[in-house]
């Protein structure tokens, strides 16, 4: 035998040239039959309803049935609706205050409960901070209703304060999570080094700990903000008359005929949420 | 300079309690390059952290220049540390890292700047001044950590295994560099390492530690040639331990032969262990009194090691320098040879 | 200072430790107080309320009564005071439980392959897929429920398409059915199933799968005998994470289930609204909370065991 038979066909050789380093497609243990199909189907199902909602929020007509052309009619209508304006401003105001206070409290608590020995009460503090996550929202909501209804009757006071404190308590565990995660990746020896280099405890915190944990704090703030914007059950039970937020306003509208106006508001909320989540991902994924 | 007075450190409590240091006392002199040497877990890093003030001692006191500093927080001690992990601030540039301690001390801006410049020059990092600490190599990070700790001109510099993360060549360079920095700055260095060679080449004095205690303190030559205990001898260099009988100022080896020795304090006449370094043994000399059987011969570049057994069954090895172009014609396994000991080769151990 | 050492053994450490504990408590205090006052504390008040008598116009009268707890499962006949099973409540409990189980199974069927698919993508693309799964989860629950409503209501997209295609003559009634609730919950809670399973698959050592293949296992056998047992903790974690909010769901059944197909959460709401029976509402809330706690404890056990193993 002079010539050995070529082990690869010319076609395979061309393919190999085009995709250097990639093995010809064949048996792979990482793919399970049918899994990819189900996965892609799932991803489509996950986005299709949202997409349809977004698309129809730009429909000129009232009905879903007929596409009558692109229009911002429903956005204009929502923006001109005083009830929507009022609810939107209240939602943002509430989210801003509750997430700010919640994040400050969560930051302090995270500093106290991470990177430490087991100190007396640590488990209790930890359990308390996570408590709002462990109880169904409807249960927290009616418990708050019971307490606040009594207080409202006694004092006659019905300001936003009830919503603010309820949202703040609910925001704390969400703000706490990313801050704690960030702190746990931080090298303790950096703070030790700062102390060694004559920084007082306060200066060590300001010059080293705070700048290093900052991305975690911002992530926590954004998460808390999103949570406050989304919270509907607690708000529904705690609010006094005339204190609609965007979600409770929408929930109320759903009892009547659904107009594309709700779709328009939903789209705005989705867009705002998506932006915040994208930022959140950027902040938490980047290490160091 | 530094007085470690009866210091004990216990971590945890109850059943989980762990004694990291037990009643350690040692005095470190001014301008000294003092090394704490021992295996991991021997308490050397704990002692360093106690001097720095990162942990309070369980008992005992630490004095600096006669002043009790046991209760001082780390930011009030004129002591700086080079951390094993370097602990450079990732959110600051090289220059900002070096300036940190000076700024915390409230030094005027101009002085901070000139000191930072001096330090950068001292560690030859002028070109890197505005780099982020994540953008420079391990060796360079090491230099920055050193410059940062030296910048406030502390009375004592503590170094926690600072060379362990470097490769061999860089480590050798930094050993010389550290020695140079110490003599140029005149600062007392307390250096922690588990590397015996590092300890012997750099230090004025070495303290060998094991299980929370200091076993021996002395200049490198004493530590190597006159180890007080078997642990010290074993930890530093290669050793042969032989059984012997001590009587007055001489010992009689179990395998035969009587040799004059220096008698350590607190050792009584009778059965003792003695140490003979492998390089202090010669083979086939004229006046040799000991016989042994060769078991195998290992060539290792600059030397050849002969593993042998004495008539008493005790193993013994000799390390023989290789002559240039020598054929290294040691007798093969199984052959009988005579052994000679260099004068003063025998050290009586205390244990 | 004294000649030897100078300090009592352990005195400095004890002092430092005490100060440290005090500081950590002070730091935690704002969060702890807010949560005790406005989350944990009210739950205790609710325990008290569950043992009181309903007021005539909502709220309570301060008279001790076990009626609240009794009424959760039995009801008193208006005419002859005999007790009988509260069938309405029991059917609601059953609906909550069975719909939660169905939701869990459905999310598992779709979530497991999705998690697997994401975890086996090349590292660069993996994060993008993960992001894509997470985004809907963080977007407003109510909005996502509305999106499902747009899909399945009589004038919704599905009915429209089917009518246009001539598959059906009249719209299928999907809204206000148990199907609508189950579909909606599967949709909104799916990411909760994907994420823990993804984490488990990501941790999976594929050399073990190679070893299984090397030892003559087929693809299916390797999946069943090697992969499945190894990612089981992730599957259990995901299942509980879906089951818990399903059991306590309120918004999704309210929007998609309408006034008739109540779940546990809606039953509770009813007692504080039209039902005007706060003690019963409080008792029902505590029952729901207990059920969720049991699931949570199981979850913590599973995940901590997983951590101890790995």
């Amino acid at each position: 035998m002079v010539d050995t038979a070529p082990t690869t066909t010319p076609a395979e050789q061309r393919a190999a040239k085009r995709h250097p380093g990639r093995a010809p497609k064949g048996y792979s243990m990482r793919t399970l039959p049918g899994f990819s199909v189900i996965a892609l189907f799932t991803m489509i199902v996950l986005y299709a309803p949202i997409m349809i909602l977004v698309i129809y929020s730009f429909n000129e007509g009232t009905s879903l049935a007929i596409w009558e052309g692109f229009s911002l009619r429903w956005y204009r209508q929502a923006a001109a609706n005083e009830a929507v304006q009022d609810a939107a401003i209240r939602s943002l105001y509430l989210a801003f205050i509750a997430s700010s206070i919640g994040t400050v409290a969560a930051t302090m608590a995270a500093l106290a409960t991470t990177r430490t020995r087991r100190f007396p009460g640590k488990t209790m503090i930890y359990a308390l901070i996570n408590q709002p996550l462990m109880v169904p929202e409807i249960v927290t909501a009616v418990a708050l209703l019971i307490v606040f209804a009594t207080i409202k009757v006694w004092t006659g006071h019905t300001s936003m304060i009830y919503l603010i404190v309820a949202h703040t308590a609910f925001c704390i565990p969400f703000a706490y999570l990313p801050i704690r995660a960030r702190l746990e990746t931080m090298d303790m020896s950096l703070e030790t080094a700062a102390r060694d280099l004559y920084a007082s405890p306060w200066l060590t915190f300001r010059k080293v700990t705070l700048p290093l944990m900052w991305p975690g704090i911002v992530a926590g703030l954004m998460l808390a903000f999103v949570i406050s914007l989304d919270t509907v059950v607690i708000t529904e039970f705690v609010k006094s008359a005339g204190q609609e937020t965007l979600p409770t306003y929408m929930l109320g509208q759903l009892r009547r005929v659904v107009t594309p106006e709700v779709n328009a508001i939903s789209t705005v909320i989705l867009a705002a949420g998506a932006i915040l989540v994208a930022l959140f991902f950027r902040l938490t994924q980047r290490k160091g | 300079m530094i007085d470690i007075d009866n210091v004990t450190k216990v971590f945890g409590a109850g059943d989980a309690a762990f004694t990291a240091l037990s009643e350690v006392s040692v005095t470190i002199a001014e301008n000294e390059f003092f090394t704490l040497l021992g295996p991991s877990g021997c308490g050397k890093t704990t002692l360093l952290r106690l001097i720095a003030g990162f942990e309070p001692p369980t008992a005992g006191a630490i004095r600096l220049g006669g002043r009790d500093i046991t209760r001082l927080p780390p930011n009030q001690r004129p002591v700086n540390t080079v951390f094993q992990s370097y602990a450079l601030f990732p959110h600051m540039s090289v220059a900002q890292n070096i300036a940190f301690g000076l700024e915390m001390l409230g030094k005027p801006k101009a002085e901070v700047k000139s000191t930072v410049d001096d330090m950068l020059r001292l560690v030859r990092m002028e070109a890197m001044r505005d780099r982020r600490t994540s953008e420079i190599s391990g060796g360079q990070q090491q230099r920055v950590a050193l410059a940062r700790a030296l910048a406030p001109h502390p009375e004592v510099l503590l170094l926690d295994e600072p060379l362990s993360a470097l490769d061999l060549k860089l480590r050798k360079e930094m050993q010389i560099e550290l020695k140079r920095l110490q003599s140029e700055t005149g600062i007392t260095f307390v250096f922690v390492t588990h590397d015996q060679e590092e300890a012997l080449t750099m230090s004025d004095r070495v303290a060998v530690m094991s299980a929370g205690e200091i076993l021996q303190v002395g200049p490198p030559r004493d530590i190597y040639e006159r180890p007080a205990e078997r642990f010290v001898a074993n930890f530093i260099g290669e050793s042969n331990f032989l059984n012997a009988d001590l009587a007055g100022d001489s010992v009689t080896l179990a395998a035969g032969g009587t040799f004059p020795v220096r008698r350590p304090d607190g050792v009584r006449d009778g059965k003792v262990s003695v140490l003979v370094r492998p390089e202090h043994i010669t083979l086939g000399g004229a006046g040799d009194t000991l016989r042994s059987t060769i078991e195998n011969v290992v060539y290792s570049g600059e030397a050849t090691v002969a593993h042998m057994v004495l008539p008493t069954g005790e193993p013994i090895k000799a390390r023989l320098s290789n002559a240039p172009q020598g054929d290294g014609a040691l007798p093969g396994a199984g052959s009988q040879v005579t052994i000679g000991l260099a004068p003063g080769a025998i050290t009586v151990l205390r244990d | 200072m004294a000649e030897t050492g100078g300090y009592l053994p352990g005195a400095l450490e004890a002092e430092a430790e005490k100060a440290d504990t005090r500081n950590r408590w002070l730091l935690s205090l704002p969060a702890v107080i807010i949560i005790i006052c406005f989350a944990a504390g009210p739950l205790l008040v609710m325990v008290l309320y569950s043992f009181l008598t309903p007021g005539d116009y909502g709220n309570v009268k301060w008279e001790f009564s076990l009626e609240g707890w009794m009424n959760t499962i039995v009801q008193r006949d208006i005419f002859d005071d005999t007790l009988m099973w509260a069938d309405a409540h029991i059917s609601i409990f059953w609906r909550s439980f069975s719909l939660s189980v169905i939701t869990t199974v459905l999310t598992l069927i779709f979530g497991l392959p999705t998690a697997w698919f994401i975890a086996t993508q090349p590292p660069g693309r993996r994060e993008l897929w993960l992001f894509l799964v997470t985004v809907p989860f963080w977007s407003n629950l109510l909005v996502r429920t509305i999106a499902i409503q747009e899909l399945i209501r009589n004038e919704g997209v599905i009915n429209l398409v089917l009518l246009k295609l001539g598959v059906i003559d009249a719209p299928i009634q999907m809204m206000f059915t148990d199907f609508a609730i189950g579909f909606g919950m599967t949709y909104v809670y799916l990411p909760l199933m994907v994420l823990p399973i993804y984490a488990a698959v990501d941790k999976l050592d594929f050399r073990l799968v190679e070893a299984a293949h090397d030892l003559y296992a087929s693809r299916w056998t390797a999946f069943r005998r090697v992969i499945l047992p190894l990612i089981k903790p992730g599957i259990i974690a995901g299942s509980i994470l879906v089951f818990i909010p399903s059991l306590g769901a309120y918004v999704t059944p309210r929007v998609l289930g309408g006034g008739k197909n109540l779940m546990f959460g809606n039953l509770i709401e009813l007692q504080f609204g039209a039902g005007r029976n706060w003690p019963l509402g409080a008792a029902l809330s505590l029952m729901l909370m207990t059920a969720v706690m049991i699931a949570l404890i199981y979850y913590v056990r599973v995940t901590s065991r997983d951590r101890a193993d790995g």
Side-chain angles (χ1 to χ4, degrees):
Chain A
M1 269 245 250
V2 185
D3 252 16
T4 48
T7 48
T8 51
T9 65
E12 278 169 347
Q13 282 165 354
R14 273 198 305 277
K17 227 176 250 168
R18 234 176 292 137
H19 308 287
R22 199 183 290 180
K25 215 168 170 74
Y27 187 82
S28 161
M29 282 169 308
R30 288 175 173 257
T31 51
L32 288 163
F35 271 33
S36 305
V37 177
I38 301 178
L40 291 173
F41 173 76
T42 307
M43 294 304 295
I44 292 167
V45 169
L46 218 46
Y47 278 89
I50 298 178
M51 288 304 163
I52 290 168
L53 182 118
V54 171
I55 290 168
Y56 273 95
S57 73
F58 293 106
N59 188 8
E60 170 72 34
T62 323
S63 156
L64 270 179
I66 316 135
W67 176 259
E68 295 178 20
F70 179 86
S71 145
L72 291 175
R73 175 184 164 194
W74 303 111
Y75 288 87
R76 275 196 300 272
Q77 186 171 321
N81 184 337
E82 265 178 42
V84 175
Q85 285 173 10
D86 186 53
I89 290 169
R90 184 169 294 107
S91 272
L92 289 173
Y93 166 78
L94 185 59
F96 178 73
I97 296 193
S99 61
S100 305
I101 303 174
T103 304
V104 172
T107 304
M108 292 165 69
L111 281 167
T113 52
T114 47
R115 308 187 295 169
T116 171
R117 73 206 153 84
R118 286 196 93 80
F119 64 88
K122 184 186 172 197
T123 316
M124 200 183 102
I125 293 175
Y126 188 70
L128 268 175
I129 287 169
N130 286 296
Q131 184 272 326
L133 294 179
M134 297 190 280
V135 174
E137 212 182 321
I138 180 75
V139 175
T140 308
V142 299
L144 286 170
L145 171 72
I146 287 173
V147 172
F148 287 164
T150 312
I151 297 177
K152 282 177 188 174
V153 170
W154 280 351
T155 61
H157 185 79
T158 54
S159 71
M160 285 280 286
I161 188 73
Y162 303 103
L163 280 174
I164 290 172
V165 292
H167 275 231
T168 304
F170 199 59
C171 281
I172 286 175
F174 290 96
Y176 177 79
L177 285 172
I179 300 173
R180 179 190 161 90
R182 175 78 195 182
L183 272 173
E184 272 176 348
T185 63
M186 271 167 56
D187 186 357
M188 276 270 247
S189 70
L190 293 174
E191 281 128 305
T192 313
R195 295 279 281 142
D196 185 58
L197 293 161
Y198 313 108
S200 64
W202 168 244
L203 276 177
T204 303
F205 175 72
R206 232 191 57 201
K207 296 266 180 182
V208 178
T209 316
L210 194 59
L212 289 174
M213 72 187 290
W214 192 246
I217 296 178
V218 176
L221 181 70
M222 289 189 329
L223 198 54
F225 194 87
V226 170
I227 292 297
S228 170
L229 273 187
D230 285 4
T231 300
V232 53
V233 187
I234 288 178
T235 315
E236 180 84 351
F237 283 75
V238 169
K239 72 179 163 67
S240 306
Q243 291 179 344
E244 299 288 354
T245 62
L246 264 189
T248 60
Y249 171 79
M250 283 161 57
L251 196 62
Q253 291 297 302
L254 290 180
R255 294 216 173 109
R256 304 175 205 161
V257 182
V258 185
T259 68
E261 193 185 314
V262 170
N263 291 0
I265 302 170
S266 297
T267 303
V268 173
I269 293 180
L270 279 176
I275 291 167
L276 281 172
V277 172
L279 282 173
F280 173 82
F281 255 74
R282 274 197 69 112
L283 279 171
T284 49
Q285 299 283 307
R286 210 175 18 191
K287 294 270 147 63
Chain B
M1 179 76 193
I2 309 175
D3 254 317
I4 312 290
D5 188 354
N6 243 326
V7 165
T8 295
K9 179 69 192 176
V10 182
F11 288 107
D15 291 340
F18 167 73
T19 306
L21 291 173
S22 91
E23 299 183 356
V24 168
S25 290
V26 66
T27 299
I28 300 165
E30 196 143 4
N31 292 344
E32 193 171 28
F33 197 121
F34 190 87
T35 297
L36 297 169
L37 173 67
S40 59
C42 71
K44 55 192 194 297
T45 296
T46 303
L47 183 54
L48 204 71
R49 291 176 62 83
L50 255 52
I51 299 173
F54 304 146
E55 318 252 5
T58 307
I62 297 164
R63 280 182 285 273
L64 183 65
R67 188 164 67 113
D68 190 319
I69 59 166
T70 319
R71 296 185 76 102
L72 278 188
N75 54 318
Q76 290 172 26
R77 297 189 187 198
V79 171
N80 289 139
T81 308
V82 178
F83 292 84
Q84 185 171 13
S85 60
Y86 310 147
L88 296 177
F89 303 125
H91 57 304
M92 298 181 193
S93 70
V94 165
Q96 284 170 328
N97 262 283
I98 298 174
F100 189 88
L102 299 160
E103 283 167 1
M104 292 300 121
L105 286 172
K107 299 274 192 237
K109 276 223 161 65
E111 190 189 326
V112 172
K113 195 182 169 305
S114 73
T115 312
V116 169
D117 289 341
D118 289 347
M119 284 300 140
L120 285 167
R121 210 170 310 121
L122 191 68
V123 296
R124 306 194 189 104
M125 289 283 290
E126 297 101 315
M128 304 289 171
R129 93 173 273 137
D130 294 319
R131 291 282 190 92
R132 285 246 159 182
T133 54
S134 53
E135 296 165 354
I136 56 178
S137 72
Q140 291 170 332
Q141 290 183 5
Q142 155 83 86
R143 286 160 192 275
V144 176
L146 205 56
R148 184 179 72 174
L150 282 171
H153 205 87
E155 289 175 37
V156 181
L157 186 74
L158 307 175
L159 304 103
D160 186 7
E161 308 217 20
L163 309 182
S164 60
L166 304 180
D167 63 45
L168 185 67
K169 191 163 165 288
L170 212 51
R171 196 152 66 216
K172 296 271 185 210
E173 277 174 34
M174 282 308 293
Q175 286 178 8
I176 297 164
E177 184 94 4
L178 276 178
K179 196 70 193 154
R180 172 181 75 89
L181 284 172
Q182 200 251 336
S183 56
E184 271 179 34
T185 56
I187 294 171
T188 306
F189 276 35
V190 181
F191 187 89
V192 159
T193 184
H194 62 265
D195 181 332
Q196 42 139 330
E197 195 221 312
E198 215 165 86
L200 296 182
T201 44
M202 297 165 73
S203 322
D204 295 324
R205 281 197 305 154
V206 177
V208 182
M209 294 185 69
S210 166
E213 290 180 53
I214 293 185
L215 301 180
Q216 190 174 359
V217 185
R221 181 174 281 272
D222 275 13
I223 297 281
Y224 184 77
E225 290 178 6
R226 302 264 158 246
E229 291 180 36
R230 184 184 279 253
F231 179 88
V232 178
N234 223 349
F235 191 71
I236 298 169
E238 292 201 76
S239 319
N240 292 305
F241 297 110
L242 301 174
N243 293 319
D245 246 312
L246 179 66
D249 279 334
S250 63
V251 288
T252 307
L253 296 180
T258 301
F259 301 87
V261 289
R262 199 166 73 181
R263 186 191 173 87
D265 298 333
V267 178
R268 275 182 290 178
D269 282 0
K271 295 255 179 265
V272 288
S273 275
V274 298
L275 161 75
V276 181
R277 296 288 186 192
E279 67 272 21
H280 293 158
I281 297 177
T282 54
L283 294 192
D288 289 354
T289 50
L290 284 166
R291 284 183 305 111
S292 70
T293 312
I294 291 186
E295 289 217 304
N296 75 60
V297 175
V298 179
Y299 174 80
S300 67
E302 88 285 5
T304 300
V305 179
H307 295 266
M308 300 167 288
V309 205
L310 291 170
T312 51
E314 292 165 292
I316 188 166
K317 61 187 173 215
R319 188 179 183 82
L320 310 156
S321 298
N322 286 330
Q325 287 156 12
D327 51 4
L330 273 174
S335 29
Q336 300 270 322
V337 287
T338 57
I339 290 179
L341 303 179
I346 294 181
T347 305
V348 177
L349 300 172
R350 209 158 45 196
D351 50 358
Chain C
M1 291 292 139
E3 308 78 58
T4 56
Y7 302 104
L8 285 172
L12 282 178
E13 285 162 318
E15 210 176 283
E17 217 163 83
K18 227 167 124 186
D20 183 70
T21 304
R22 193 194 58 222
N23 290 341
R24 287 182 187 279
W25 263 100
L26 283 176
L27 268 176
S28 310
L29 218 51
V32 165
I33 289 177
I34 292 172
I35 286 174
I36 286 182
C37 290
F38 307 116
L43 294 177
L44 294 179
V45 178
M46 196 164 66
V47 175
L48 177 69
Y49 267 53
S50 71
F51 291 106
L52 296 176
T53 310
D56 296 330
Y57 308 101
N59 219 320
V60 286
K61 282 195 281 234
W62 285 80
E63 289 162 25
F64 176 81
S65 162
L66 285 174
E67 289 279 308
W69 283 99
M70 299 238 311
N71 283 336
T72 55
I73 48 169
V74 292
Q75 65 187 49
R76 210 178 282 279
D77 192 287
I78 318 168
F79 301 108
D80 56 11
D81 259 15
T82 51
L83 292 177
M84 47 193 172
W85 292 110
D87 296 333
H89 289 188
I90 289 166
S91 75
I92 289 171
F93 297 155
W94 174 245
R95 177 182 295 117
S96 287
F97 178 76
S98 56
L99 277 179
S100 299
V101 170
I102 290 169
T103 302
T104 307
V105 172
L106 286 175
T107 50
L108 180 61
I109 290 172
F110 291 103
L112 174 61
T114 309
W116 180 273
F117 173 78
I118 296 174
T120 52
Q121 290 294 303
R125 257 181 285 169
R126 208 179 300 170
E127 298 213 329
L128 178 69
W129 282 110
L130 206 58
F131 175 70
L132 286 175
V133 169
T134 320
V135 168
F137 177 63
W138 286 119
S139 49
N140 197 302
L141 178 84
L142 178 61
V143 169
R144 281 183 295 150
T145 308
I146 293 173
I148 290 295
Q149 182 187 345
E150 295 286 74
L151 208 61
I152 63 173
R153 67 198 172 99
N154 288 2
E155 307 82 29
V157 176
I158 291 180
N159 273 321
L160 264 175
V161 171
L162 291 180
L163 281 170
K164 277 251 167 75
L165 292 175
V167 181
I168 49 171
D169 301 326
I172 308 168
Q173 174 67 42
M174 286 182 281
M175 279 294 281
F176 312 130
T177 61
D178 284 355
F179 163 78
I181 302 175
F183 181 62
M185 291 202 304
T186 304
Y187 177 68
V188 294
Y189 297 133
L190 184 69
L192 286 174
M193 181 65 87
V194 176
L195 297 177
I197 300 183
Y198 164 79
V201 178
D202 192 41
K203 238 175 42 182
L204 180 71
D205 184 350
F206 272 93
R207 283 172 301 182
L208 297 173
V209 186
E210 286 174 1
H213 283 288
D214 184 53
L215 295 165
Y216 316 111
S218 68
R219 223 191 263 265
W220 168 240
T221 322
F223 180 73
R224 203 165 45 91
R225 297 281 301 276
V226 177
I227 297 170
L228 215 49
L230 287 172
I231 63 172
K232 204 172 115 196
I235 292 174
I236 296 176
S239 302
I240 301 171
L241 280 185
V242 170
F243 185 80
I244 288 175
S246 302
L247 201 61
Y250 168 78
V251 172
T252 309
R254 173 167 163 183
V255 173
L256 300 178
K260 280 188 186 151
N261 301 63
L262 300 187
M263 279 185 58
F264 215 137
N266 312 94
L267 181 62
I268 292 172
E269 188 218 359
L270 197 62
Q271 309 313 319
F272 290 90
R276 286 198 190 142
N277 193 341
W278 287 26
L280 171 59
L284 287 168
S285 298
L286 292 168
M287 273 174 72
L288 174 59
M289 202 173 92
T290 311
V292 165
M293 282 296 163
I294 292 169
L296 260 179
I297 288 166
Y298 185 56
Y299 170 77
V300 169
R301 284 230 181 129
V302 170
T303 47
S304 60
R305 198 191 315 143
D306 178 36
R307 217 166 296 145
D309 289 348

